[in-house]
Amino acid sequence: MSAAGRYGGLSAAERRAERRARFREAGLETFGAGAGYRNTRLVDLCQVAGLSTRQFYQEYDTLEDLLRELYLHIDSIVEQHVLDEVARVDDLPLDGRAAATVRAYLSHITRDPRCARITFVEVNGVGERMDDQRRQRRTRWIDLLCALLDSFTARGELAPRDFRLTAATFLGSVDGLMRDWSAGWIDATIDQLTDVLLGMLLGRLGAVGIPAMPVTPDSAQLVRRRPRNRRATILAAATDAFAEHGYHRTPMTDIATAVGTTSGALYRHFRTKQELLGCCLKEGLDLVLNHVDTACGGDAHADAALTALVRISLERRGLARLWQLEFRNLTPVDRIGVLARSVRLTHRIGAAIQARHPGISPADRDALGWVVLSVVTSPSNHRTRLPEGVFARILDASVDAVIGAVIGAETVQSDAAGAGPPDTSVDQGSELRTEQLIIAAAQLFSERGFAAVSIEDIGTSVGVRGPALYHHFESKSDLLDEIIDRNNRWIQRYTERALAEGGDPRESLRLVLRYYVHFAMERPDLVGTAVSEARNLPDDAAARYRRIHREGIIGWARLLQSVRPELSMPMARVLIHTVTTVVNEAVRNPRLTRRPDMVAELCSLGELIALTDL
């Protein structure tokens, strides 16, 4: 097929335009909110774009080429916005037109702080080509300002003169002031910046008799004193947003809106979105640790740590999900900080287990500790609502059941160890290459996250390149949809088999759990992708998955109610979510999967949780 052919519904030109747009958005994020132009590696930028380095070199020769395109793209959009505003206020007097022009420029260039950082900070000192481009754009702005000032002269509002030196001086002041503002060295609102620059311009023009701009109610609101808890409010909103939508799918503007402030205000607290993510996790874990340490003070029993941990996990349900799914997006330094805090937390849990089982081996103690942590953090993986006291009681009982378990050689049960999962082999008619793509995609999505993997990365891993990829799947989203759909079909299949084979509800419940554990152990990438990446599906597909997943949990909860009729549906759902969280996290934890009897141990622990005495 010719290079001009259509793949995935797009022509070659449309695909190229889409790629360049994705590279520009990735540049906006990495240069303007991340490490900055000088500290960005090509591989990191391509991960953010979800494209390959090969595709980058099809569009650009160097990262500087992308920076130059991005700078020109931003500056051209701002210029058009200013021209539109100048035309709109043409009937205003001089001070009104000048104020509207300055405000239009500042408000648009600062609307996204990433644009301001690139325009005023990142492009400085890059190289001769970048400097030439900036001089060309500066000349264009000087011409535009001179034309505006000439229009003032034509109306008799200013005496005729050559305004070029005035325009160049003013634009130099704008550049210097905005560079300091973008770097965080100046703390000012857009109104304050406009007043300063407008006064400078009008004073230079000799229009000193023009009255100062009145302070509008909106501008008065912008300069109000910041709340003392602004940082904590930002962290709470960011934690919820990152946990709900994912780090890559959450722009800073959404967090700012949730807090009731501007993106610029966020960047005065946190230099980059990645720094904000790190602070969410580190300071969130500090809060948890302080809560636990306080509970363990004095003569308190070691179990007090577990009770405190359950309560704080219910208060901060989003924190655990953020920890589980976004750890890979932290900087190396922040990863170390988060790991250090998690070690302190697991030591507290380990002390409680050791107090209950003085002779337990370190390996078994640590294994139970990770399971306890999964129980405690399980509420972050679902939205089931219960009165806080009831919810805490269920988690307390589940933790107690896990700590009371005896694992190791004694745990092996012949029925659990010998029972295999239902037949989950692929359909015989499926193409081998398609199956390879699905397996490779599940592994890459689970390890690196959907946003950091391109469909070309998936194809390369199985030796499929170029247009041949689109004979199997039109897009990366289609691959993700197939993975999650296949996960759902297999779960439905083993559930139906367990219900058919079980002699009574309790036996069917035991079989469902056993088949699920086997399935998850054999296909941890499939399970991991379904758990962590479903939110990256298109809205309609994501809604369909949530419905199917909810129906599956309800079906399992009804089976549990058949065994335990005293449970309400919400209580049964919480227990089932707790069991599945333990399994889903255990099969992706190398410390646990290396245990020789992990399947039998998970089956035993899952049954203990589901049947725990409340």
Side-chain angles (χ1 to χ4, degrees):
M1 188 175 291
S2 69
R6 301 184 70 86
Y7 302 107
L10 299 176
S11 68
E14 289 169 335
R15 290 200 307 276
R16 183 180 182 190
E18 180 187 32
R19 283 198 301 269
R20 292 185 81 96
R22 288 170 65 179
F23 278 126
R24 283 197 302 271
E25 179 61 31
L28 192 62
E29 182 65 23
T30 55
F31 302 160
Y37 167 73
R38 291 164 182 78
N39 296 316
T40 293
R41 301 181 306 165
L42 176 59
V43 64
D44 295 332
L45 180 130
C46 290
Q47 280 191 350
V48 174
L51 298 168
S52 65
T53 54
R54 176 181 59 82
Q55 289 173 303
F56 178 88
Y57 286 118
Q58 289 175 346
E59 306 297 334
Y60 308 97
D61 291 331
T62 65
L63 279 177
E64 184 182 344
D65 292 330
L66 174 59
L67 179 66
R68 293 176 69 237
E69 179 179 302
L70 190 54
Y71 169 73
L72 181 62
H73 180 74
I74 294 169
D75 206 53
S76 299
I77 291 175
V78 174
E79 177 189 340
Q80 188 58 53
H81 182 76
V82 171
L83 290 173
D84 291 342
E85 184 67 6
V86 168
R88 190 182 70 82
V89 300
D90 186 61
D91 57 339
L92 295 181
L94 183 152
D95 62 327
R97 296 202 306 285
T101 302
V102 174
R103 183 180 296 279
Y105 179 83
L106 293 178
S107 64
H108 207 75
I109 195 65
T110 60
R111 181 173 300 176
D112 186 337
R114 299 176 300 177
C115 295
R117 179 179 165 187
I118 288 172
T119 301
F120 299 111
V121 178
E122 295 300 324
V123 298
N124 285 301
V126 170
E128 185 176 345
R129 289 192 304 149
M130 188 76 249
D131 289 343
D132 285 343
Q133 186 180 59
R134 291 180 65 215
R135 281 192 290 269
Q136 292 172 12
R137 294 302 300 174
R138 175 70 66 83
T139 299
R140 188 174 179 86
W141 280 108
I142 291 174
D143 291 341
L144 188 154
L145 184 54
C146 285
L148 177 65
L149 298 179
D150 285 340
S151 72
F152 296 164
T153 298
R155 297 185 184 196
E157 296 172 304
L158 290 177
R161 76 179 87 162
D162 184 354
F163 291 109
R164 199 158 193 83
L165 179 59
T166 298
T169 302
F170 175 71
L171 289 171
S173 299
V174 171
D175 186 74
L177 181 64
M178 295 308 298
R179 181 167 59 249
D180 291 348
W181 182 87
S182 300
W185 300 339
I186 292 178
D187 186 3
T189 66
I190 301 305
D191 280 323
Q192 292 169 330
L193 294 172
T194 301
D195 286 344
V196 168
L197 291 171
L198 182 61
M200 185 184 303
L201 176 61
L202 296 179
R204 183 72 180 174
L205 295 172
V208 293
I210 295 175
M213 291 176 57
V215 179
T216 64
D218 288 342
S219 63
Q221 184 179 11
L222 285 172
V223 297
R224 70 185 184 275
R225 187 180 300 276
R226 296 194 194 98
R228 291 186 177 182
N229 65 339
R230 171 57 59 83
R231 179 184 175 88
T233 304
I234 293 172
L235 287 172
T239 297
D240 291 342
F242 289 150
E244 177 71 18
H245 306 293
Y247 171 75
H248 289 293
R249 292 168 62 90
T250 302
M252 292 287 269
T253 50
D254 285 0
I255 299 170
T257 300
V259 176
T261 187
T262 64
S263 299
L266 296 190
Y267 284 105
R268 286 192 282 274
H269 289 277
F270 309 96
R271 291 174 299 173
T272 66
K273 189 171 78 167
Q274 193 174 32
E275 180 182 297
L276 174 57
L277 174 65
C279 288
C280 285
L281 279 167
K282 290 186 296 183
E283 296 187 28
L285 286 171
D286 284 340
L287 178 67
V288 172
L289 286 166
N290 289 338
H291 196 77
V292 171
D293 290 342
T294 300
C296 293
D299 298 327
H301 191 272
D303 281 357
L306 304 176
T307 303
L309 192 55
V310 165
R311 271 66 185 171
I312 193 65
S313 73
L314 290 174
E315 291 178 19
R316 304 295 298 270
R317 286 179 76 164
L319 180 62
R321 186 164 179 82
L322 195 65
W323 180 10
Q324 295 158 356
L325 302 185
E326 304 300 346
F327 179 82
R328 60 196 171 203
N329 290 312
L330 294 173
T331 64
V333 172
D334 282 343
R335 289 181 188 178
I336 293 173
V338 169
L339 286 173
R341 289 163 174 82
S342 67
V343 167
R344 283 181 55 197
L345 192 58
T346 54
H347 281 172
R348 283 292 190 186
I349 297 173
I353 296 172
Q354 194 80 45
R356 188 80 63 88
H357 299 291
I360 193 171
S361 71
D364 290 345
R365 179 200 62 209
D366 292 345
L368 284 180
W370 284 108
V371 175
V372 167
L373 196 57
S374 295
V375 170
V376 170
T377 59
S378 61
S380 70
N381 293 313
H382 61 93
R383 298 180 179 179
T384 308
R385 297 293 177 184
L386 276 174
E388 185 174 336
V390 177
F391 211 143
R393 184 155 50 91
I394 293 174
L395 294 181
D396 285 339
S398 299
V399 168
D400 193 62
V402 169
I403 292 183
V406 178
I407 63 172
E410 301 100 323
T411 313
V412 180
Q413 303 167 4
S414 59
D415 59 341
D423 180 17
T424 55
S425 59
V426 300
D427 297 337
Q428 293 300 313
S430 299
E431 295 182 6
L432 176 61
R433 192 65 81 186
T434 298
E435 294 304 318
Q436 291 174 331
L437 286 169
I438 292 171
I439 293 169
Q443 181 178 2
L444 291 172
F445 290 158
S446 183
E447 289 176 354
R448 292 159 47 183
F450 180 81
V453 177
S454 70
I455 193 168
E456 285 76 14
D457 293 335
I458 299 166
T460 299
S461 68
V462 297
V464 179
R465 299 176 182 272
L469 267 174
Y470 298 99
H471 293 312
H472 301 275
F473 296 97
E474 291 188 355
S475 68
K476 190 171 64 166
S477 291
D478 288 343
L479 254 173
L480 179 61
D481 190 34
E482 174 62 26
I483 290 168
I484 294 177
D485 183 61
R486 181 163 297 191
N487 179 77
N488 291 338
R489 292 200 307 268
W490 278 336
I491 289 175
Q492 182 180 11
R493 189 182 306 171
Y494 71 63
T495 302
E496 291 172 351
R497 174 177 168 178
L499 292 173
E501 293 177 350
D504 55 52
R506 183 156 187 155
E507 179 63 21
S508 292
L509 182 67
R510 184 179 293 114
L511 287 172
V512 168
L513 173 60
R514 187 175 307 149
Y515 291 156
Y516 184 66
V517 170
H518 276 280
F519 165 71
M521 285 289 287
E522 289 190 358
R523 294 175 173 81
D525 294 330
L526 208 69
V527 171
T529 298
V531 169
S532 63
E533 304 304 323
R535 61 190 176 183
N536 290 299
L537 288 169
D539 291 343
D540 56 343
R544 185 183 74 249
Y545 166 72
R546 287 193 297 270
R547 176 180 55 78
I548 294 173
H549 178 68
R550 182 170 59 251
E551 290 173 352
I553 292 293
I554 290 174
W556 199 343
R558 285 179 179 147
L559 183 58
L560 180 58
Q561 283 182 304
S562 299
V563 179
R564 305 185 62 184
E566 77 277 10
L567 296 178
S568 67
M569 174 54 71
M571 295 172 72
R573 287 176 64 183
V574 168
L575 284 169
I576 295 305
H577 276 297
T578 304
V579 171
T580 55
T581 298
V582 167
V583 175
N584 293 343
E585 294 184 4
V587 299
R588 293 179 290 162
N589 187 332
R591 297 178 182 87
L592 298 182
T593 55
R594 285 194 290 264
R595 294 177 65 84
D597 302 320
M598 196 63 228
V599 170
E601 289 172 349
L602 283 177
C603 289
S604 176
L605 290 168
E607 189 170 349
L608 285 172
I609 293 170
L611 301 178
T612 184
D613 183 6
L614 302 181

